[in-house]
Amino acid sequence: MYKPEKRFMRLAIDEAKKGNKSGKYPIGAVIVKDGKVVASSFNGLPGDIDPTVHAEILAIRKAAVKLKTRYLDDCILYTTNEPCAMCAGAAVWANMRGIVFGASVKDLEKFWKMRRDEKTSKRNFVFVHAKKIISGVKPKMFLVENFMREECLELFDLYEAGLRR
């Protein structure tokens, strides 16, 4: 059983805060291998026309470049939000060892439902649990859910506060 480390999730939270300062959704991701950070990123949305620039995807891309391989064996993805279907799928295709996330898909769904407005009502949302994406993967990936959830939920408030400015 993998024991997640708070220091890595704190780095993901710091990435999310960096993104929030530049007007991005405050989601952060860190990729760890052998107890060392390989790559990190914050979300590229909104504002980027590439819909795949999620924090997790950007961190996976950076890790692949740094490690010079598309196979991120023994790497662990830490992310402040439960990865979407695309991001969890990317972790699978990269052969990652596991995923650790903070706030859940349910938390994110609740947040967006509370703030439905003209912009968000036109968006498509896919609320699929990462567990569903990684089930059946061989070799088996581990999933640590709701790790440091409360700290990660505070990022939603940070985003909301930025909208009110």
Side-chain angles (χ1 to χ4, degrees), residues 69-111:
T69 180
R70 68 180 185 184
Y71 299 112
L72 303 179
D73 300 329
D74 298 320
C75 288
I76 299 160
L77 171 64
Y78 280 77
T79 179
T80 57
N81 278 50
E82 183 172 359
C84 70
M86 174 182 67
C87 294
V92 168
W93 286 114
N95 282 358
M96 297 186 84
R97 188 169 142 218
I99 299 170
V100 178
F101 71 81
S104 71
V105 166
K106 287 269 187 218
D107 296 324
L108 189 61
E109 184 177 20
K110 182 179 171 187
F111 171 76

Side-chain angles (χ1 to χ4, degrees), residues 60-154:
I60 288 170
R61 288 176 184 165
K62 287 179 181 180
V65 168
K66 185 172 182 178
L67 297 174
K68 296 179 173 83
T69 180
R70 68 180 185 184
Y71 299 112
L72 303 179
D73 300 329
D74 298 320
C75 288
I76 299 160
L77 171 64
Y78 280 77
T79 179
T80 57
N81 278 50
E82 183 172 359
C84 70
M86 174 182 67
C87 294
V92 168
W93 286 114
N95 282 358
M96 297 186 84
R97 188 169 142 218
I99 299 170
V100 178
F101 71 81
S104 71
V105 166
K106 287 269 187 218
D107 296 324
L108 189 61
E109 184 177 20
K110 182 179 171 187
F111 171 76
W112 282 115
K113 278 185 179 176
M114 285 186 339
R115 65 170 317 275
R116 282 266 179 211
D117 58 24
E118 189 63 28
K119 282 184 182 177
T120 59
S121 64
K122 293 178 183 173
R123 292 189 53 210
N124 291 322
F125 290 91
V126 179
F127 297 112
V128 177
H129 292 279
K131 186 184 298 182
K132 191 168 190 169
I133 302 300
I134 70 167
S135 67
V137 170
K138 292 184 180 161
K140 190 169 173 57
M141 290 177 72
F142 71 79
L143 184 67
V144 177
E145 304 174 75
N146 301 310
F147 183 68
M148 296 178 62
R149 178 176 173 263
E150 292 305 315
E151 292 92 327
C152 293
L153 285 174
E154 290 172 8

